[in-house]
Amino acid sequence: MTEKDRYGETLRNREKAEEDRYAAEQDRLRLEKLRQQAQAAQATNGLCPQCGGGLNPSKTFEISIKTCGKCRGVWLPIGDLERLIARAGEGEIVRFVRSLIG
């Protein structure tokens, strides 16, 4: 191996090491962001995201919802909101029959 080739290989190894270091730092930053999001979600678990009041779980049309006694907000996942809207359009007789069937 010539002197020129040896320095070229050293340069490529250094560039690879820098890329690996950069990728590791980006991964660390992403993990830290996910940890912070998880901690924030855990801290507000059971608390209203709007006012910080306690959330009261209940069921409507077999869909779990959480209501805030302080600001009277209603919280539920978006998929459940779509199901709730679909079920609210049903007539009283259909709802009565569904409640009998379970």
Side-chain angles (χ1 to χ4, degrees):
M1 186 182 310
T2 67
E3 190 72 22
K4 183 177 178 183
D5 289 341
R6 192 179 72 179
Y7 287 123
E9 184 178 334
T10 303
L11 184 60
R12 282 190 296 277
N13 288 341
R14 183 175 178 168
E15 287 174 351
K16 175 73 171 122
E18 289 295 322
E19 289 173 3
D20 290 346
R21 190 173 311 139
Y22 176 78
E25 178 64 17
Q26 293 302 308
D27 288 345
R28 188 190 66 74
L29 292 173
R30 283 187 204 104
L31 284 173
E32 182 60 32
K33 184 176 179 181
L34 288 173
R35 280 189 195 107
Q36 289 174 354
Q37 289 173 346
Q39 287 174 348
Q42 215 172 29
T44 60
N45 194 14
L47 299 178
C48 178
Q50 185 171 354
C51 71
L55 292 177
N56 305 313
S58 63
K59 283 199 171 229
T60 302
F61 300 119
E62 300 172 15
I63 296 171
S64 297
I65 63 172
K66 295 179 182 177
T67 56
C68 177
K70 189 174 178 182
C71 71
R72 302 180 61 126
V74 178
W75 304 98
L76 64 155
I78 189 73
D80 288 346
L81 176 61
E82 292 167 354
R83 287 181 37 215
L84 184 60
I85 290 170
R87 297 287 299 274
E90 296 176 351
E92 291 294 322
I93 295 173
V94 174
R95 280 188 272 197
F96 175 72
V97 171
R98 277 190 190 270
S99 70
L100 292 175
I101 295 171

